[in-house]
Amino acid sequence: SSPEGKARLAVLMAIRQAIVERGGTPSCAAYAAGLMSSLSQQHDEETTAAVVYVLSHVLQNVSQTVLRSKFIGIADLLLSTMQYHDGSASVARHGLHCVHLIIAAQEVEAWRTPQMGQLTEILLSHAVDPRPKVRKAAQGFVMSLIGQDVLPGEAKAAVESKALSFCASTFKAC
């Protein structure tokens, strides 16, 4: 049991307790809502990393319908959290996992929002991050979005176009 593991377990137990105290039934959607509520409060880096880690695992089991209906709120919160804790490799890695999950759940309409542009930019910018684990995670998530049939055709084309533009501007900067 590492300190990170203990922090993650404490987050999970606190969210469960909050759900039960409010008369709710623990479910993935309830945990996700509780974790998002927790993220909306400013925490230290260790707590935020634990919350984002647990959220990255919970979001995998939340229905696409919920991820679509809450897209703007989730996106805004993840973006602000990742920007606030931009020095944390753990927040970045697990935050990128969350970003990947919510992008993959969206339909074409979401690609017209400013949040989707910001999410794809954050994925692409972390693909050249100097931290190896963050860079590897971001590259894997970008490749997953481009290489698999996770996204609708128009959305996949949008990711590919953004990736090509990002690569061109990165190469010009060298």
Side-chain angles (χ1 to χ4, degrees), residues 6 14-15 18 20 34-35 43-44 52 57 59 61 69 92 95-96 99 103 114 116 118 136 140 156 171:
K6 289 178 182 176
I15 297 299
V20 171
L35 291 162
H43 294 292
D44 59 60
V52 174
H57 289 278
L59 287 179
N61 299 296
S69 69
L96 290 170
V99 166
I103 287 175
M116 186 61 80
Q118 294 170 321
K136 181 179 179 180
K156 187 173 182 176
F171 290 147

Side-chain angles (χ1 to χ4, degrees), residues 89-154:
S90 182
V91 171
R93 258 187 18 247
H94 301 299
L96 290 170
H97 189 194
C98 293
V99 166
H100 171 261
L101 292 168
I102 63 168
I103 287 175
Q106 300 312 306
E107 293 179 318
V108 176
E109 296 78 35
W111 286 86
R112 296 183 187 100
T113 66
Q115 287 83 358
M116 186 61 80
Q118 294 170 321
L119 291 174
T120 54
E121 286 174 24
I122 206 164
L123 268 179
L124 291 169
S125 67
H126 280 85
V128 293
D129 194 279
R131 299 167 292 188
K133 289 181 180 181
V134 174
R135 184 175 59 243
K136 181 179 179 180
Q139 290 170 357
F141 294 137
V142 170
M143 290 307 300
S144 172
L145 291 173
I146 292 173
Q148 298 176 4
D149 292 330
V150 177
L151 300 174
E154 287 179 51

Side-chain angles (χ1 to χ4, degrees), residues 21-136:
E21 284 177 0
R22 289 185 175 88
T25 303
S27 67
C28 289
Y31 275 106
L35 291 162
M36 296 301 292
S37 177
S38 179
L39 269 187
S40 68
Q41 304 164 14
Q42 295 297 330
H43 294 292
D44 59 60
E45 184 178 308
E46 181 184 337
T47 303
T48 301
V51 171
V52 174
Y53 174 86
V54 174
L55 182 64
S56 72
H57 289 278
V58 169
L59 287 179
Q60 295 177 60
N61 299 296
V62 173
S63 74
Q64 286 189 337
T65 305
V66 171
L67 294 178
R68 289 175 183 156
S69 69
K70 303 293 183 186
F71 171 69
I72 301 294
I74 295 170
D76 286 341
L77 192 52
L78 285 172
L79 288 164
S80 67
T81 299
M82 290 177 71
Q83 289 167 351
Y84 186 79
H85 292 285
D86 65 346
S88 169
S90 182
V91 171
R93 258 187 18 247
H94 301 299
L96 290 170
H97 189 194
C98 293
V99 166
H100 171 261
L101 292 168
I102 63 168
I103 287 175
Q106 300 312 306
E107 293 179 318
V108 176
E109 296 78 35
W111 286 86
R112 296 183 187 100
T113 66
Q115 287 83 358
M116 186 61 80
Q118 294 170 321
L119 291 174
T120 54
E121 286 174 24
I122 206 164
L123 268 179
L124 291 169
S125 67
H126 280 85
V128 293
D129 194 279
R131 299 167 292 188
K133 289 181 180 181
V134 174
R135 184 175 59 243
K136 181 179 179 180

